[in-house]
């Protein structure tokens, strides 16, 4: 199991955190480990004043796309890269609480 945090995007006034990599070994999948890691990264981002979390993935693994959707992430945009490498998909989730106690689940996808 592995996760990587890159902190807030450097020049973004909205304080966007980036998750570079989130990998759960095959043996640990389907036990909620990935969701727990994602929640911990979101809480870490929130505690650092980030309002949004983003990550990129490809469309080569449908189970990964389902995982992010199930955890409240929506597609921000996608980039066609060719058949062999798959399309690049950028996901985002708003993690800033509106009232200081409530956290929204997701934001609407922005058309590409």
């Amino acid at each position: 199991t592995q996760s990587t945090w890159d902190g807030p995007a450097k020049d973004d006034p909205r304080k966007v955190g980036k998750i570079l990599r989130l990998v759960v070994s095959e043996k640990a999948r389907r036990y909620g480990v990935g969701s727990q890691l994602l929640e911990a990264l979101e809480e870490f981002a929130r505690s650092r004043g980030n309002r949004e979390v983003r990550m990129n993935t490809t469309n080569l693994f449908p189970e990964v796309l389902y995982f992010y959707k199930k955890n409240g992430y929506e597609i921000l945009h996608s980039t066609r890269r060719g058949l062999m490498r798959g399309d690049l998909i950028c996901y985002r989730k708003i993690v800033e609480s509106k009232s200081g106690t409530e956290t929204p689940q997701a934001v609407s996808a922005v058309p590409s």
Side-chain angles (χ1 to χ4, degrees):
T1 305
Q2 174 186 10
S3 63
T4 304
W5 175 257
D6 190 36
K10 301 291 184 247
D11 297 318
D12 195 328
R14 296 172 297 163
K15 293 195 174 186
V16 176
K18 298 185 297 182
I19 298 173
L20 297 180
R21 184 166 290 131
L22 178 64
V23 180
V24 176
S25 71
E26 287 189 41
K27 292 178 183 178
R29 292 179 190 161
R30 306 274 187 241
Y31 293 101
V33 174
S35 294
Q36 290 177 19
L37 285 170
L38 201 53
E39 288 175 23
L41 288 167
E42 292 166 6
E43 181 56 39
F44 182 80
R46 192 178 299 111
S47 74
R48 298 292 189 265
N50 291 283
R51 301 166 76 185
E52 179 179 326
V53 174
R54 293 182 188 178
M55 90 269 307
N56 294 321
T57 188
T58 69
N59 63 345
L60 296 177
F61 304 101
E63 62 275 9
V64 173
L65 305 178
Y66 172 77
F67 170 77
Y68 288 123
K69 182 177 180 178
K70 178 183 80 163
N71 282 282
Y73 285 77
E74 296 211 345
I75 296 173
L76 178 61
H77 62 83
S78 62
T79 304
R80 184 161 288 264
R81 299 189 311 171
L83 184 60
M84 296 300 290
R85 293 181 8 199
D87 297 343
L88 182 68
I89 300 173
C90 178
Y91 280 93
R92 77 171 176 180
K93 181 176 180 180
I94 301 298
V95 295
E96 175 186 55
S97 46
K98 291 181 179 179
S99 65
T101 59
E102 181 183 346
T103 303
Q105 290 299 309
V107 295
S108 299
V110 176
S112 53

